Amino acid sequence: MHRLQAFREMRARVPQKAFNWLVSFNSSRCIHSLPFATVNVEEISGSQPAEVHNLVQGKWTGSSKWNTILDPLNGESFIKVAEIDETGIQPFVESLSKCPKHGLHNPFKEPERYLMLGDVSVKAAHMLSQPKVSDFFTRLIQRVSPKSYQQALGEVFVTRKFLENFCGDQVRFLARSFAVPGNHLGQQSHGFRWPYGPVSVEALVTIITPFNFPLEIPLLQLMGALYMGNKPVLKVDSKVSIVMEQMLRLLHDCGLPVEDVDFINADGKTMNKLLLEANPRMTLFTGSSRVADKLAVDLKGRIKLEDAGFDWKILGPDVKEVDYIAWVCDQDAYACSGQKCSAQSMLFMHENWSKSSLLRQMNDLAARRKLEDLTVGPVLTVVTEYKDNQIPMVLDALERMHAHLTAAVVSNDQLFLQARLAEVIGKSVNGTTYAGLRARTTGAPQNHWFGPAGDPRGAGIGTPEAIKLVWSCHREIIYDFGPLPQKWETPAST
């Protein structure tokens, strides 16, 4: 009731013209029929609700229970999600039990699947490069996770570039092995990347992702799991699961076998029961640190986490390019209403910046954001200043933080960089850290690692290293063919 009241209050503040823009789009941007799509974005409304189904054992299914999703801007019931309850998880367990522990493919088994998935990536990337498809997913993201068109489009763009990175032979290159000479003739050790499974009702690979990036995070992790030979079951926050449901349909249209992925809509209690009963070999979880810690215990540590970040930025003593720095700070803190795991959470500003127009410009940039074009929602921020002799206090504050995802050290001052940058980076652990005048905390593309550090459960995303770390394990095979030494005799017992 509180959420519905908040939606209604928010809706009351949105001018009718702006709201109409959100639910009824200009005909020049209207999509034509898309072969994979089962929804029409501009028609989703309280009077014409969309439906989201589950995928299990290669079949799309409904449910006896439908969860109603409220429009985040007006509180109308505009999406119906077929949610699985605790009595309905058995088909998912049975589906996963059909996949052996050694996976759907590996370097010795069905290597043709590496090529197939490379082809799927080619076709899916091409589909997302088409304006009508890109626009479809951009506006679908906007409907369930309100953010500006450019922010939503950026999510689609990064997803497409990721798929382009793993076209053709790039998938099999993820399974590249190495060989080391042995101790004698005929002996060699070979290291391989091996999938996790699953093998039976005790083993599965799962992906659980949050609401704020309904396409990019689940798609990148899903494809990484598939590339390495796993059979994943995917759960996305029900509020935004329609985006990945439509993306899965696109992947099927691009040649992905419908049996390769299971897709479940369920509440947290049901999903927890599924995980406990199935005893997963590996689970990827992106989201709340509290939930992550619970799952780590429940799953006996067989989990990788990309949890929440408390992300800091330090402005060095060299005050320059104030307009640009102010704009980046505004983007890092308030784009997507600050609902990014990489959002700028704390700003440490050298005292020299207090003499500049930075704070005024940041205030002006924040003030121009408005609900009408979805460039902002409710936000809260705190600005902290520091002096040269307070660097140890800043480092102590960084040490006390617990979520080490992204960070930025903004400076091109060579003396500061030589004296302080190494100290700051050397005494911090954030997994994705930017340094230099253009440093930021958000907007990670697909061409570098994105993920936390300082935790052995940490999961990365986007790069070959991230995919291999999260979605495969190391297997060593030692070939030892001989020959035996001449005149070998059985030695004495040892």
Side-chain angles (χ1 to χ4, degrees):
M1 293 301 294
H2 294 296
R3 180 181 295 178
L4 179 58
Q5 181 180 355
F7 286 151
R8 288 172 174 168
E9 292 174 355
M10 181 181 293
R11 171 65 186 94
R13 299 196 301 270
V14 180
Q16 186 62 40
K17 181 179 179 181
F19 179 73
N20 289 343
W21 172 80
L22 293 170
V23 296
S24 179
F25 295 85
N26 188 289
S27 59
S28 65
R29 296 172 61 192
C30 181
I31 64 168
H32 299 290
S33 177
L34 298 174
F36 64 87
T38 60
V39 300
N40 200 326
V41 180
E42 62 266 28
E43 294 179 359
I44 302 176
S45 64
S47 60
Q48 298 186 67
E51 293 186 356
V52 181
H53 295 81
N54 302 283
L55 177 63
V56 62
Q57 301 188 42
K59 296 180 180 179
W60 290 102
T61 65
S63 172
S64 59
K65 176 186 176 184
W66 291 83
N67 180 24
T68 299
I69 304 300
L70 303 181
D71 189 319
L73 289 174
N74 67 6
E76 287 185 348
S77 301
F78 79 137
I79 298 177
K80 294 166 59 181
V81 179
E83 286 207 347
I84 302 299
D85 61 21
E86 295 182 44
T87 65
I89 63 175
Q90 194 58 33
F92 293 88
V93 175
E94 293 174 356
S95 176
L96 292 164
S97 69
K98 296 177 182 178
C99 177
K101 189 182 299 183
H102 51 261
L104 297 176
H105 63 266
N106 60 53
F108 290 82
K109 173 192 174 183
E110 298 189 45
E112 300 86 358
R113 283 181 51 86
Y114 292 118
L115 305 183
M116 178 271 291
L117 289 167
D119 290 341
V120 170
S121 297
V122 170
K123 296 172 184 176
H126 174 69
M127 288 287 285
L128 289 180
S129 72
Q130 299 179 27
K132 63 181 180 180
V133 178
S134 175
D135 185 64
F136 169 80
F137 280 105
T138 299
R139 292 185 290 118
L140 190 58
I141 290 170
Q142 281 190 295
R143 295 295 283 118
V144 295
S145 181
K147 46 186 167 182
S148 71
Y149 189 88
Q150 286 301 315
Q151 285 287 311
L153 179 62
E155 188 175 341
V156 178
F157 175 80
V158 169
T159 301
R160 173 170 67 86
K161 299 302 289 185
F162 168 84
L163 290 168
E164 290 175 353
N165 283 346
F166 294 97
C167 290
D169 288 330
Q170 297 307 314
V171 175
R172 66 170 149 197
F173 288 164
L174 290 171
R176 188 191 302 270
S177 62
F178 63 84
V180 177
N183 293 334
H184 50 256
L185 180 63
Q187 186 185 76
Q188 280 188 335
S189 61
H190 293 252
F192 296 93
R193 300 310 301 177
W194 217 256
Y196 285 104
V199 60
S200 66
V201 295
E202 292 85 26
L204 67 146
V205 178
T206 54
I207 308 172
I208 306 174
T209 59
F211 75 95
N212 54 350
F213 286 90
L215 178 65
E216 179 183 340
I217 292 178
L219 191 281
L220 268 59
Q221 294 290 13
L222 174 70
M223 296 308 293
L226 289 169
Y227 291 155
M228 299 313 296
N230 302 288
K231 175 171 180 174
V233 56
L234 172 65
K235 178 196 171 341
V236 181
D237 189 309
S238 292
K239 294 188 292 296
V240 299
S241 61
I242 191 172
V243 178
M244 271 308 295
E245 189 224 40
Q246 295 299 299
M247 188 65 206
L248 280 171
R249 295 180 187 273
L250 180 148
L251 292 173
H252 295 158
D253 199 57
C254 292
L256 180 70
V258 291
E259 300 86 2
D260 278 14
V261 178
D262 290 335
F263 179 68
I264 185 171
N265 297 291
D267 60 20
K269 183 179 179 182
T270 298
M271 194 63 192
N272 193 253
K273 179 178 175 64
L274 171 61
L275 297 179
L276 290 175
E277 290 193 3
N279 191 22
R281 295 174 59 79
M282 220 298 286
T283 293
L284 182 280
F285 177 78
T286 305
S288 159
S289 297
R290 179 182 59 83
V291 177
D293 288 339
K294 181 183 186 304
L295 285 174
V297 174
D298 291 345
L299 302 177
K300 298 180 174 62
R302 293 189 294 272
I303 191 170
K304 290 289 185 180
L305 306 176
E306 188 188 346
D307 58 0
F310 191 84
D311 310 303
W312 49 265
K313 179 183 292 182
I314 296 175
L315 301 184
D318 47 323
V319 179
K320 57 179 65 174
E321 305 294 348
V322 177
D323 292 352
Y324 178 81
I325 302 300
W327 174 76
V328 173
C329 286
D330 176 71
Q331 285 292 105
D332 282 349
Y334 304 128
C336 193
S337 300
Q339 294 302 303
K340 294 183 180 182
C341 52
S342 56
Q344 175 182 300
S345 304
M346 179 172 287
L347 177 66
F348 294 93
M349 186 177 72
H350 190 276
E351 60 180 343
N352 290 353
W353 287 90
S354 63
K355 305 170 186 177
S356 73
S357 60
L358 177 70
L359 293 180
R360 177 184 59 78
Q361 291 192 44
M362 289 175 61
N363 181 76
D364 293 344
L365 290 170
R368 72 176 183 172
R369 295 181 174 274
K370 51 187 180 297
L371 189 62
E372 289 89 331
D373 59 6
L374 301 180
T375 54
V376 77
V379 293
L380 176 66
T381 187
V382 176
V383 177
T384 306
E385 299 181 17
Y386 75 95
K387 299 179 180 180
D388 284 328
N389 61 359
Q390 293 177 315
I391 284 287
M393 294 177 61
V394 172
L395 293 174
D396 181 62
L398 306 185
E399 182 70 17
R400 293 170 182 267
M401 298 177 188
H402 299 290
H404 306 291
L405 185 56
T406 67
V409 182
V410 183
S411 176
N412 272 4
D413 184 285
Q414 292 303 309
L415 292 178
F416 176 80
L417 294 178
Q418 292 176 17
R420 296 300 190 187
L421 181 59
E423 181 181 13
V424 171
I425 293 181
K427 294 183 178 179
S428 60
V429 299
N430 295 57
T432 303
T433 302
Y434 298 87
L437 187 66
R438 299 187 65 174
R440 62 193 192 278
T441 64
T442 67
Q446 72 296 326
N447 63 345
H448 65 64
W449 164 282
F450 183 83
D455 189 329
R457 305 167 301 174
I461 193 171
T463 63
E465 291 77 17
I467 292 172
K468 287 183 280 189
L469 170 73
V470 175
W471 294 115
S472 69
C473 59
H474 182 89
R475 183 182 186 187
E476 194 88 358
I477 298 176
I478 296 88
Y479 295 113
D480 203 346
F481 300 112
L484 297 180
Q486 291 185 357
K487 300 181 181 181
W488 183 87
E489 297 179 357
T490 304
S493 299
T494 59

